[in-house]
Amino acid sequence: MSVVRRIAGGVLLRVFLVLAAVFWLVPTLGLLVSSFLSPGELNRGGWWRALTAPSRLTASNYAHLLANDTITGSLLSTVAIAVPATLLVLTLGALAGYAFAWLEFPGRDWLFLVVVGLLVVPVQVALIPVSELFGAVGLFETTAGVVLFHTAFGLPFAVFLLRNFFAEIPRELLEAARLDGAGELRLFARVVLPLGGPAIASLGIFQFLWVWNDMLVALVFADSAHPPVTVALQQQVRQFGNNIDVLAPGAFLSMVVPLLVFFAFQRQFVTGVMAGAVK
């Protein structure tokens, strides 16, 4: 009887998870279908009407999107921000994580506590003082300013995650490499980085998704003439409230890129986060 109950419980759990996943994906499906409907079709009723009449779908919205220089340029601007901000966080976070894990220097533990404390600092607190600083040094409304801001706020989590992961590497392995004549840089590049691949990959995914989907920082610091895609879509809503033939495909394209990145590396993401956060 207990076996039957376990099987029934497992079936119910799977059914619940499938229903929850379907319910969670409904907005994404609605956005996808809406991106292939003309404004006239959308005004006649909900997007679900197209599921029973696929002939209503059209690719003309994406043609309009590609003809919109603001949206296409904003996608390039987002790439120009997300890629450098991700690479900088990975590089600096890996170096700092290795130093906190395996190098001895005065005040190491106290400095790491400061890094952990920075995890709870909200982005909103820094907007005004950093705006004044960027304005004084000429970085306000520049791509470099947005990249630096994202890098600064991404580093505390990066250092915390990678330090915890690197600390789990067996000391004997590092000592054996040192006995073979490996210096710290060579040890870091040849031993630590390959072993830290899952954590570094998960960190890169997390940072890329955060920067790509950001709107607040981009709205404050980005170049208003070449905004990221989140700001460009917001401007389209403000200026052209019924411009659904551009908004729907633009929103879907801005969402599908981080979704593809996450689903392509989701195993590394889960493995790295779990290994870095759980001793």
Side-chain angles (χ1 to χ4, degrees), residues 83-96:
V83 173
T86 302
L87 294 179
L88 281 173
V89 167
L90 291 179
T91 303
L92 298 177
L95 291 171

Side-chain angles (χ1 to χ4, degrees), residues 194-211:
L195 293 176
I200 295 173
S202 66
L203 174 63
I205 295 168
F206 189 88
Q207 177 71 9
F208 181 84
L209 296 180
W210 177 51
V211 177

Side-chain angles (χ1 to χ4, degrees), residues 63-125:
H64 296 159
L65 176 69
L66 296 177
N68 190 310
D69 295 335
T70 301
I71 300 297
T72 53
S74 68
L75 290 172
L76 297 177
S77 298
T78 307
V79 173
I81 292 172
V83 173
T86 302
L87 294 179
L88 281 173
V89 167
L90 291 179
T91 303
L92 298 177
L95 291 171
Y98 174 74
F100 280 118
W102 293 108
L103 298 183
E104 298 289 342
F105 55 90
R108 183 187 67 173
D109 294 337
W110 288 105
L111 285 175
F112 185 68
L113 288 177
V114 172
V115 171
V116 173
L118 291 175
L119 289 171
V120 301
V121 177
V123 174
Q124 293 83 351
V125 172

